[in-house]
Amino acid sequence: MRIAIDAMGGDYAPDEIVKGALQAAQTYQDTEIILVGQPERITEILGGSEQPKNISMQPASEIVSMEEHPANAVRKKKDSSIVVATQMVKKGDADAVVSAGSTGAQMAAALLGLGRIKGIERPAIVTVMPTLEGGKLILDVGANPDAKPEHLVQYAMMGSIYAEKILGLKNPRVALLNIGSEETKGNELAQKTYPLLKQIPIHFTGNIEGRDIPFGRADVIVCEGFVGNVLLKTSEGLAGALFQLIKEKITSTTARKLGALVIKPGLKEIAQMMDYAEYGGAPLLGVNGISVICHGSSKQKAIFNAVRVARECVESQFIEEIRRELPRFQIVQN
Amino acid sequence: MRIAIDAMGGDYAPDEIVKGALQAAQTYQDTEIILVGQPERITEILGGSEQPKNISMQPASEIVSMEEHPANAVRKKKDSSIVVATQMVKKGDADAVVSAGSTGAQMAAALLGLGRIKGIERPAIVTVMPTLEGGKLILDVGANPDAKPEHLVQYAMMGSIYAEKILGLKNPRVALLNIGSEETKGNELAQKTYPLLKQIPIHFTGNIEGRDIPFGRADVIVCEGFVGNVLLKTSEGLAGALFQLIKEKITSTTARKLGALVIKPGLKEIAQMMDYAEYGGAPLLGVNGISVICHGSSKQKAIFNAVRVARECVESQFIEEIRRELPRFQIVQN
């Protein structure tokens, strides 16, 4: 198996990306890791002669920054790391691409380079959100800010397959994000989507409200990209703000500092439970190839775990699975 | 000043509502508190002869439950506590109503009983969200799940006036909830709203992303009711989940239990900062009268603070202020 890693994308690129790639190469010796980016910068981090044999480089001179217009940048910068890495998947030179760079650019590169799976109208960005009951899927978190009911139905199907194949959940509970529990609640999109979700062959458990998500009361949560993105970022912000506050408040006196020392391992356990890096990343769902999206602030551990996710996606043939399952969803698509 | 309190609405009604009303009557001796609901139940809680002189009762035999269809229930149950209390405002027998009951029913009662302020197309539910920099306003959090750009413009105006008059913020920073910082980002609604917000006489600071909200980076956050409701409930759920987790993890061993004892006051300070009850409630914005919405799980403190908010709304003549300001926003309304 060959996995192309965009060495230049992400807040901590290329250093942390290369470190994660090295760890992955050491752990997965059956997997060839291809670092895509500026050779001199990558070599500098890789260092001397001690590199594993299954790590190599693919030169790409340009970088798409977080600030650039994604589609424009991808069209213009043909020699950017994300475009070159995605093209490797397209050409069969790699089985998957992993990137922590601009999500929009990664999506644009995938749509232009790999195309959509036939029958999927809009790809979705899925994220694994840490909850009290382990990681749960939320999609879409930003690929498609104005979705139609059919799109949400396709997300539900793809999310359900992903949860089963990659997260190993049997008969995953799929829920519709809404602002009330009854079928008739919500905005027009939710009201139109609910009856469609009842018809398709998934384990649909009805609506889920925001307050139930952190308790892990559904395995796959389906929503429009705009609200999913707000939900994801608000959760990250709130968790960050609370941890900052806790740090301040439990070290504000000498006595508290001593108490804090004792409970520190407990807080570390929580931070670990809530750490997205444990999940690495998740693939763009609905495109014709595996393109794993990582958090922009990914460090070594997240990149390593993202390679693990990419491996599982390839091994489980999960794109073929989506293709196979699609006909069962035709009723509601027409 | 006379404030009608729906004694029967809320998860802890009537006990905690009556307790909060009593505290308010004791504190604000210039204010007449009218408890609306079933007299025998209210009397039971009020107890013996020690009642303040400025507390009275208005009988209402029916109760609208959280499960009922709001508009239907309000139409049918003319003698329900929320309808009777709202009608008192309508008739001039009270200056404001406070309720912790079904938000939908309270809104329906206000729309049917008080009507909208002329020029406001859709009222909004505003909430005060605790942040690291104090309470910030978010609106709409559920009145109007499918909003138009003009509605968001009206929310911005009403929110700005409320933040200035009631929260005492000078020149409040108003931001549009979005999934990116640039003007061109977001769904169709956000893209159409942004240029309108630039034209109106408020301190518009551009887009805000979910991750910046808990850090208090805007004073008034404007959004569609669906996403606002998801944002609010997810934040509540996540804060609750994290506190539950902290409690478990810092008391899981004897040593940690001792450490936990020492830092407990620090955690209490955080819980207090993040406690919505400190803010009590907020009025439904855009209706022709003051109807303060409290959290369903309000206890004594929240009800007491909601009465304070109701008083401030009456004293600041904040509905008249909205009426006065509206003409300045006519440009974008047509």
Side-chain angles (χ1 to χ4, degrees):
Chain A
M1 195 184 304
R2 290 158 303 171
I3 293 173
I5 299 181
D6 170 7
M8 315 309 287
D11 302 343
Y12 301 103
D15 293 64
E16 292 288 331
I17 314 294
V18 172
K19 283 184 202 164
L22 263 173
Q23 189 188 344
Q26 277 148 3
T27 309
Y28 304 118
Q29 304 205 343
D30 61 343
T31 302
E32 196 188 325
I33 302 288
I34 307 142
L35 282 162
V36 183
Q38 297 169 347
E40 58 288 4
R41 295 189 62 188
I42 296 170
T43 313
E44 205 179 300
I45 303 154
L46 279 174
S49 52
E50 312 266 329
Q51 296 156 30
K53 279 185 189 160
N54 57 333
I55 199 158
S56 63
M57 256 187 290
Q58 175 68 42
S61 62
E62 295 170 297
I63 300 171
V64 175
S65 76
M66 296 286 184
E67 291 73 34
E68 287 177 90
H69 185 282
N72 292 350
V74 162
R75 273 193 208 96
K76 268 190 223 160
K77 295 184 167 175
K78 300 251 185 274
D79 201 40
S80 61
S81 52
I82 184 62
V83 171
V84 172
T86 306
Q87 284 298 325
M88 291 183 73
V89 177
K90 163 85 174 171
K91 290 178 197 153
D93 295 338
D95 299 295
V97 50
V98 167
S99 176
S102 155
T103 300
Q106 187 170 357
M107 195 177 65
L111 276 171
L112 289 169
L114 308 172
R116 288 176 285 118
I117 295 175
K118 210 187 149 195
I120 298 290
E121 288 166 56
R122 298 290 187 105
I125 300 170
V126 59
T127 196
V128 187
M129 186 173 266
T131 76
L132 295 194
E133 302 292 327
K136 305 297 178 187
L137 297 179
I138 302 194
L139 73 166
D140 169 38
V141 295
N144 184 13
D146 286 291
K148 290 181 183 164
E150 310 87 82
H151 304 155
L152 267 61
V153 169
Q154 294 176 356
Y155 301 166
M157 177 206 58
M158 295 191 291
S160 181
I161 294 171
Y162 187 79
E164 201 162 341
K165 292 277 167 188
I166 311 296
L167 299 188
L169 299 170
K170 277 225 162 174
N171 202 20
R173 299 162 299 167
V174 181
L176 176 65
L177 181 61
N178 207 335
I179 60 174
S181 54
E182 303 87 359
E183 179 165 355
T184 53
K185 280 285 168 89
N187 57 6
E188 205 189 318
L189 176 66
Q191 287 175 18
K192 286 188 173 166
T193 303
Y194 194 109
L196 299 180
L197 291 177
K198 285 202 297 187
Q199 292 173 40
I200 61 172
I202 53 167
H203 179 200
F204 176 52
T205 54
N207 291 331
I208 187 167
E209 291 192 71
R211 67 167 70 94
D212 292 322
I213 297 173
F215 293 91
R217 292 188 185 129
D219 302 311
V220 178
I221 294 149
V222 170
C223 59
E224 190 165 39
F226 189 88
V227 64
N229 193 279
V230 167
L231 166 61
L232 177 68
K233 288 182 183 161
T234 303
S235 300
E236 282 184 13
L238 183 57
L242 280 175
F243 274 105
Q244 183 186 313
L245 206 53
I246 290 169
K247 221 172 179 177
E248 279 168 28
K249 292 287 182 188
I250 68 175
T251 55
S252 60
T253 67
T254 311
R256 286 187 193 175
K257 270 182 194 149
L258 289 171
L261 264 180
V262 184
I263 59 145
K264 209 176 165 185
L267 294 180
K268 266 208 166 154
E269 283 163 36
I270 297 172
Q272 224 156 40
M273 276 179 74
M274 292 292 156
D275 185 8
Y276 68 88
E278 297 284 338
Y279 303 102
L284 192 53
L285 293 181
V287 293
N288 230 336
I290 293 160
S291 179
V292 174
I293 294 173
C294 305
H295 198 287
S297 61
S298 289
K299 293 190 179 178
Q300 176 176 342
K301 180 166 78 172
I303 297 298
F304 169 74
N305 279 317
V307 172
R308 176 180 53 72
V309 168
R311 276 173 51 86
E312 287 164 3
C313 288
V314 175
E315 277 172 355
S316 67
Q317 300 191 296
F318 124 92
I319 289 181
E320 288 70 24
E321 184 73 10
I322 291 175
R323 275 202 207 97
R324 251 197 308 277
E325 287 288 320
L326 255 175
R328 297 176 66 203
F329 295 81
Q330 291 300 333
I331 303 160
V332 291
Q333 279 182 43
N334 300 321
Chain B
M1 196 186 303
R2 288 157 305 170
I3 294 174
I5 299 181
D6 171 8
M8 315 309 288
D11 302 344
Y12 301 103
D15 293 61
E16 291 288 332
I17 314 295
V18 173
K19 283 185 202 162
L22 263 174
Q23 189 188 342
Q26 278 148 3
T27 308
Y28 304 119
Q29 303 204 344
D30 60 343
T31 302
E32 196 190 326
I33 303 288
I34 306 144
L35 282 163
V36 183
Q38 297 169 346
E40 59 288 3
R41 295 188 64 189
I42 296 171
T43 313
E44 206 180 298
I45 304 153
L46 278 175
S49 52
E50 313 266 330
Q51 295 157 29
K53 278 185 190 157
N54 58 332
I55 199 158
S56 63
M57 257 189 288
Q58 175 68 42
S61 62
E62 294 172 298
I63 299 171
V64 175
S65 76
M66 296 287 187
E67 291 73 33
E68 287 178 87
H69 185 283
N72 292 349
V74 162
R75 272 193 210 94
K76 267 189 221 159
K77 296 183 167 175
K78 301 251 185 270
D79 201 40
S80 61
S81 53
I82 184 63
V83 171
V84 171
T86 307
Q87 284 299 324
M88 290 182 73
V89 177
K90 163 87 174 167
K91 289 178 198 153
D93 295 337
D95 298 298
V97 50
V98 167
S99 176
S102 156
T103 299
Q106 185 171 1
M107 196 176 67
L111 277 171
L112 290 169
L114 308 172
R116 289 176 285 115
I117 294 175
K118 210 185 149 195
I120 299 291
E121 288 166 56
R122 296 291 186 107
I125 300 171
V126 59
T127 198
V128 186
M129 187 172 265
T131 77
L132 295 194
E133 302 292 327
K136 303 298 179 188
L137 297 179
I138 302 193
L139 73 166
D140 169 38
V141 295
N144 184 13
D146 286 292
K148 291 181 183 163
E150 310 86 81
H151 303 156
L152 267 61
V153 169
Q154 294 175 356
Y155 302 167
M157 177 207 57
M158 296 191 291
S160 182
I161 294 172
Y162 187 78
E164 202 162 338
K165 292 277 164 189
I166 310 296
L167 300 188
L169 299 169
K170 277 225 162 175
N171 204 19
R173 298 163 299 168
V174 181
L176 176 66
L177 181 62
N178 207 334
I179 60 175
S181 55
E182 302 86 359
E183 177 165 355
T184 53
K185 279 286 169 86
N187 57 7
E188 205 189 319
L189 176 66
Q191 286 174 17
K192 285 188 174 166
T193 304
Y194 194 109
L196 299 180
L197 291 177
K198 286 202 297 186
Q199 292 174 40
I200 62 172
I202 54 166
H203 180 200
F204 177 53
T205 55
N207 291 330
I208 187 166
E209 291 192 72
R211 68 166 69 95
D212 291 322
I213 297 174
F215 294 92
R217 291 189 186 128
D219 302 311
V220 178
I221 295 148
V222 170
C223 60
E224 191 165 36
F226 189 88
V227 64
N229 192 279
V230 167
L231 165 61
L232 176 68
K233 288 182 182 161
T234 303
S235 300
E236 282 184 13
L238 184 57
L242 280 175
F243 274 105
Q244 182 186 313
L245 206 54
I246 290 168
K247 220 173 178 177
E248 279 168 32
K249 292 288 181 187
I250 68 175
T251 55
S252 60
T253 68
T254 312
R256 285 188 194 176
K257 268 181 197 152
L258 289 171
L261 264 180
V262 184
I263 60 144
K264 210 175 165 186
L267 294 180
K268 266 210 167 153
E269 283 163 34
I270 298 171
Q272 224 157 40
M273 275 178 74
M274 292 292 157
D275 184 7
Y276 67 88
E278 297 284 340
Y279 302 103
L284 192 52
L285 292 182
V287 293
N288 229 335
I290 293 160
S291 178
V292 173
I293 294 174
C294 305
H295 198 286
S297 61
S298 289
K299 292 190 180 178
Q300 176 177 341
K301 181 166 77 174
I303 297 298
F304 169 73
N305 279 317
V307 172
R308 176 180 52 72
V309 168
R311 277 173 50 86
E312 285 165 2
C313 288
V314 176
E315 276 172 355
S316 68
Q317 300 192 295
F318 124 90
I319 289 182
E320 287 70 25
E321 184 73 9
I322 292 175
R323 275 202 207 100
R324 250 197 309 276
E325 286 288 319
L326 256 174
R328 298 176 64 200
F329 294 82
Q330 291 300 333
I331 302 159
V332 293
Q333 281 183 43
N334 299 323

